[in-house]
Protein backbone atom coordinates (compact mmCIF):
# COMPACT_ATOMS: atom_id res chain seq x y z
CA UNK A 1 0.00 0.00 0.00
CA UNK A 2 1.26 3.49 -0.82
CA UNK A 3 0.26 6.53 1.23
CA UNK A 4 0.40 10.23 0.44
CA UNK A 5 -0.68 13.63 1.69
CA UNK A 6 -1.66 16.27 -0.87
CA UNK A 7 -3.24 19.62 -1.37
CA UNK A 8 -6.73 18.45 -2.28
CA UNK A 9 -6.63 19.82 -5.85
CA UNK A 10 -3.58 17.63 -6.56
CA UNK A 11 -5.57 14.42 -5.96
CA UNK A 12 -9.14 15.66 -6.52
CA UNK A 13 -9.75 13.82 -9.77
CA UNK A 14 -8.82 10.46 -8.21
CA UNK A 15 -11.15 11.05 -5.26
CA UNK A 16 -13.94 12.45 -7.44
CA UNK A 17 -13.70 9.46 -9.79
CA UNK A 18 -14.45 7.12 -6.89
CA UNK A 19 -16.90 9.37 -5.03
CA UNK A 20 -20.15 7.84 -6.26
CA UNK A 21 -18.99 4.33 -5.43
CA UNK A 22 -17.61 5.40 -2.04
CA UNK A 23 -20.67 7.16 -0.78
CA UNK A 24 -23.57 5.31 -2.35
CA UNK A 25 -24.04 3.33 0.88
CA UNK A 26 -24.28 6.57 2.90
CA UNK A 27 -26.85 8.03 0.52
CA UNK A 28 -28.87 4.81 0.76
CA UNK A 29 -28.88 4.84 4.60
CA UNK A 30 -29.47 8.48 5.48
CA UNK A 31 -32.86 10.10 5.72
CA UNK A 32 -31.48 13.59 6.25
CA UNK A 33 -29.67 14.45 3.05
CA UNK A 34 -28.01 13.22 -0.10
CA UNK A 35 -24.26 13.78 -0.19
CA UNK A 36 -23.64 16.33 -2.92
CA UNK A 37 -20.07 17.65 -2.82
CA UNK A 38 -19.34 21.12 -4.17
CA UNK A 39 -16.12 20.19 -5.98
CA UNK A 40 -15.52 23.80 -7.06
CA UNK A 41 -15.61 24.89 -3.41
CA UNK A 42 -13.27 22.07 -2.40
CA UNK A 43 -10.81 23.07 -5.14
CA UNK A 44 -11.00 26.77 -4.21
CA UNK A 45 -10.35 25.94 -0.54
CA UNK A 46 -7.44 23.77 -1.61
CA UNK A 47 -5.96 26.47 -3.87
CA UNK A 48 -6.13 28.83 -0.86
CA UNK A 49 -4.22 26.29 1.27
CA UNK A 50 -7.19 25.19 3.38
CA UNK A 51 -8.07 21.68 2.12
CA UNK A 52 -5.82 18.61 2.15
CA UNK A 53 -6.23 14.89 1.52
CA UNK A 54 -4.41 11.85 2.81
CA UNK A 55 -4.83 8.88 0.49
CA UNK A 56 -3.87 5.26 0.25
CA UNK A 57 -3.61 3.32 -2.98
CA UNK A 58 -2.42 0.00 -4.33
CA UNK A 59 -2.04 -1.39 -7.84
CA UNK A 60 -5.86 -1.41 -8.17
CA UNK A 61 -6.14 2.32 -7.45
CA UNK A 62 -7.30 4.49 -4.59
CA UNK A 63 -8.43 2.44 -1.58
CA UNK A 64 -9.10 5.20 0.92
CA UNK A 65 -8.94 8.88 1.70
CA UNK A 66 -9.26 11.40 4.52
CA UNK A 67 -10.05 15.01 3.60
CA UNK A 68 -9.38 17.85 6.06
CA UNK A 69 -10.19 21.53 6.04
CA UNK A 70 -7.49 23.55 7.83
CA UNK A 71 -8.28 26.96 9.33
CA UNK A 72 -7.10 29.32 11.98
CA UNK A 73 -9.21 28.91 15.09
CA UNK A 74 -11.76 31.75 15.06
CA UNK A 75 -11.37 32.48 18.79
CA UNK A 76 -7.67 31.73 19.23
CA UNK A 77 -5.47 33.59 16.77
CA UNK A 78 -2.40 31.70 15.69
CA UNK A 79 -3.91 28.30 16.54
CA UNK A 80 -4.57 26.16 13.47
CA UNK A 81 -7.18 23.40 13.54
CA UNK A 82 -8.30 20.74 11.11
CA UNK A 83 -11.75 19.32 10.61
CA UNK A 84 -12.26 15.93 9.01
CA UNK A 85 -14.57 16.57 6.06
CA UNK A 86 -14.65 13.12 4.48
CA UNK A 87 -13.27 9.69 5.27
CA UNK A 88 -13.61 6.50 3.32
CA UNK A 89 -11.61 3.28 3.41
CA UNK A 90 -12.58 0.24 1.38
CA UNK A 91 -13.81 -2.59 3.62
CA UNK A 92 -10.84 -4.84 2.91
CA UNK A 93 -8.46 -2.18 4.27
CA UNK A 94 -10.25 -1.00 7.42
CA UNK A 95 -7.67 -2.50 9.80
CA UNK A 96 -4.00 -1.64 9.94
CA UNK A 97 -4.01 0.16 6.59
CA UNK A 98 -6.71 2.58 7.79
CA UNK A 99 -4.74 3.23 10.96
CA UNK A 100 -1.63 3.93 8.86
CA UNK A 101 -3.64 6.34 6.68
CA UNK A 102 -4.79 8.25 9.76
CA UNK A 103 -1.23 8.35 11.09
CA UNK A 104 0.08 9.81 7.82
CA UNK A 105 -2.71 12.40 7.90
CA UNK A 106 -2.06 13.42 11.52
CA UNK A 107 1.70 13.67 11.08
CA UNK A 108 1.27 15.74 7.91
CA UNK A 109 -1.26 18.06 9.58
CA UNK A 110 1.11 18.49 12.52
CA UNK A 111 3.83 19.60 10.08
CA UNK A 112 1.40 22.23 8.75
CA UNK A 113 1.10 23.60 12.31
CA UNK A 114 -2.29 22.09 13.13
CA UNK A 115 -2.81 21.74 16.87
CA UNK A 116 -6.22 20.02 16.96
CA UNK A 117 -8.11 17.66 14.66
CA UNK A 118 -11.86 17.22 14.95
CA UNK A 119 -14.58 15.22 13.24
CA UNK A 120 -18.30 15.89 13.42
CA UNK A 121 -20.10 12.68 12.59
CA UNK A 122 -23.47 11.29 13.45
CA UNK A 123 -22.43 7.72 12.62
CA UNK A 124 -21.67 5.85 15.86
CA UNK A 125 -19.54 3.25 14.06
CA UNK A 126 -17.19 5.93 12.76
CA UNK A 127 -17.00 7.45 16.23
CA UNK A 128 -15.98 4.08 17.67
CA UNK A 129 -13.20 3.86 15.06
CA UNK A 130 -11.94 7.33 15.98
CA UNK A 131 -12.00 6.39 19.67
CA UNK A 132 -9.72 3.44 18.90
CA UNK A 133 -7.30 5.90 17.26
CA UNK A 134 -7.15 8.07 20.39
CA UNK A 135 -9.85 10.64 19.66
CA UNK A 136 -12.22 11.63 22.45
CA UNK A 137 -15.60 13.36 22.37
CA UNK A 138 -14.83 16.96 23.31
CA UNK A 139 -17.86 19.05 22.37
CA UNK A 140 -21.57 18.63 22.32
CA UNK A 141 -23.13 19.59 19.01
CA UNK A 142 -26.64 21.00 19.13
CA UNK A 143 -28.40 21.14 15.81
CA UNK A 144 -31.55 22.87 14.63
CA UNK A 145 -32.63 22.08 11.09
CA UNK A 146 -33.74 25.22 9.34
CA UNK A 147 -34.63 23.57 6.06
CA UNK A 148 -34.27 20.50 3.95
CA UNK A 149 -31.20 19.05 2.25
CA UNK A 150 -31.76 18.06 -1.37
CA UNK A 151 -35.50 17.67 -0.84
CA UNK A 152 -35.21 15.30 2.13
Amino acid sequence: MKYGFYKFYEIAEEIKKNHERYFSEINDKTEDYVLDVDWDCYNALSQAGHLYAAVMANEDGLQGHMIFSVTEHPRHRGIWVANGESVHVERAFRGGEAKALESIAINSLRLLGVREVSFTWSDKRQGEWLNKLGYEPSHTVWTKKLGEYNGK
Side-chain angles (χ1 to χ4, degrees), residues 2-146:
K2 292 185 179 181
Y3 300 88
F5 188 80
Y6 303 91
K7 291 179 180 178
F8 178 79
Y9 69 84
E10 296 171 334
I11 195 76
E13 289 306 313
E14 261 322 286
I15 292 173
K16 189 176 179 180
K17 183 169 61 174
N18 293 296
H19 179 264
E20 184 175 322
R21 181 174 53 85
Y22 282 169
F23 291 102
S24 62
E25 75 180 51
I26 291 173
N27 286 340
D28 291 343
K29 291 180 181 177
T30 186
E31 295 177 10
D32 293 333
Y33 62 92
V34 173
L35 195 61
D36 184 19
V37 175
D38 184 343
W39 296 104
D40 292 333
C41 179
Y42 266 25
N43 282 322
L45 286 168
S46 180
Q47 292 286 343
H50 294 290
L51 199 70
Y52 296 86
V55 298
M56 59 187 225
N58 62 15
E59 61 279 352
D60 295 325
L62 203 63
Q63 299 301 320
H65 72 259
M66 297 180 84
I67 300 171
F68 297 90
S69 57
V70 176
T71 59
E72 188 173 19
H73 195 290
R75 293 183 312 271
H76 305 287
R77 290 183 190 190
I79 303 294
W80 288 85
V81 295
N83 188 60
E85 300 294 339
S86 175
V87 175
H88 179 77
V89 175
E90 293 292 337
R91 286 192 192 283
F93 303 102
R94 291 186 180 170
E97 292 93 348
K99 188 173 182 176
L101 175 65
E102 188 269 349
S103 181
I104 294 289
I106 294 306
N107 289 331
S108 298
L109 290 167
R110 186 178 285 122
L111 290 173
L112 290 174
V114 169
R115 302 246 316 259
E116 182 178 283
V117 177
S118 299
F119 291 86
T120 304
W121 285 337
S122 58
D123 186 320
K124 185 177 180 181
R125 179 182 51 88
Q126 290 171 324
E128 290 169 354
W129 177 68
L130 288 173
N131 191 257
K132 289 178 185 176
L133 295 173
Y135 293 80
E136 299 175 356
S138 63
H139 303 286
T140 300
V141 176
W142 298 85
T143 304
K144 179 184 267 188
K145 293 183 181 180
L146 302 179

